[in-house]
Amino acid sequence: MPMRLRPGEVEAVGWRVVTVLDAVRQLCDASPDVTGRPRVITIDGRGGAGKTTLAERLREVVPNSAIVHTDDIAWNHAYFGWGAVLVENILQRLHRGEAVHFRPDAWIT
């Protein structure tokens, strides 16, 4: 059964197959001014679309990389109410070159 797009969704066209390593190179080439700090690659998609599989493959080809699942951050927040938690506890620390170790307060208690 073909996937049906919802009203307002745009059909993806012009796809081509590339290796994961080539995709990483293209992403890095698209942001040449990012130096001295980690790059952040975000993956979005519907449930079951392969986001975790793609993230694992990226981690395998990028040395010293890590995966942050938004489910681990947003588990007890409103739809996008977890954005500030992500920025404060992960993205700002990465930007400063600090190590990141985050556990939601409720997990600790």
Side-chain angles (χ1 to χ4, degrees):
M1 176 181 200
M3 183 174 81
R4 294 197 175 135
L5 298 175
R6 294 181 183 202
E9 290 183 324
V10 179
E11 183 178 359
V13 295
W15 289 92
R16 64 186 176 91
V17 176
V18 298
T19 67
V20 175
L21 188 54
D22 283 340
V24 169
R25 286 183 184 131
Q26 289 174 15
L27 290 167
C28 291
D29 290 348
S31 56
D33 296 336
V34 177
T35 59
R37 61 184 170 88
R39 293 176 191 268
V40 175
I41 298 172
T42 60
I43 302 169
D44 190 19
R46 293 181 172 168
K51 298 177 297 290
T52 299
T53 300
L54 176 57
E56 288 292 339
R57 289 185 179 159
L58 286 168
R59 189 187 52 73
E60 290 170 3
V61 301
V62 178
N64 301 313
S65 62
I67 298 171
V68 176
H69 295 274
T70 55
D71 290 347
D72 294 338
I73 299 164
W75 69 278
N76 196 28
H77 292 80
Y79 190 57
F80 282 112
W82 50 268
V85 176
L86 175 68
V87 169
E88 180 181 336
N89 294 285
I90 296 171
L91 296 178
Q92 286 180 347
R93 291 178 184 180
L94 283 174
H95 188 76
R96 292 189 301 258
E98 299 172 2
V100 174
H101 177 79
F102 173 73
R103 290 180 68 197
D105 293 336
W107 289 15
I108 296 167
T109 57

